[in-house]
Amino acid sequence: MRRLTLVPVLVAVAGLAFAGCAQDFGHGPEGRVTGKTKDGKKFYLVVDPTKEGKEKKFRVSKYDYHDCYRGSKYPKCIDD
């Protein structure tokens, strides 16, 4: 009987562990990628949404960082 109560607890713990692995930093503004920076294991894109030099730096996943090149359009570069 004790094993039957332990199984749901283990399933819940495993589910929470896997949920913590997903990186969801949200989306930054639409615009042209003007720069990329990396700080240890943190990845950032710099986007100029208005082409007026008002750049915005925001954190992205390493996959989005590698998919977006300088000059590409954000968020189209992560959707391709």
Side-chain angles (χ1 to χ4, degrees), residues 40-58:
K41 292 188 177 187
K42 296 178 183 175
F43 301 91
Y44 299 91
L45 290 179
V46 181
V47 171
D48 186 0
T50 59
K51 297 181 184 176
E52 296 176 0
K54 297 180 182 178
E55 298 175 330
K56 172 134 171 99
K57 178 180 174 182
F58 55 96

Side-chain angles (χ1 to χ4, degrees), residues 57-76:
K57 178 180 174 182
F58 55 96
R59 190 169 174 194
V60 295
S61 71
K62 71 177 179 179
Y63 304 108
D64 292 348
Y65 177 85
H66 291 295
D67 287 344
C68 295
Y69 298 97
R70 287 178 185 87
S72 62
K73 291 183 103 181
Y74 183 85
K76 187 177 184 321

Side-chain angles (χ1 to χ4, degrees), residues 3-35:
R3 285 186 211 162
L4 292 177
T5 58
L6 186 59
V7 171
V9 172
L10 291 175
V11 170
V13 169
L16 289 174
F18 286 120
C21 294
Q23 293 181 337
D24 184 21
F25 299 110
H27 287 286
E30 291 184 13
R32 187 76 54 189
V33 177
T34 58

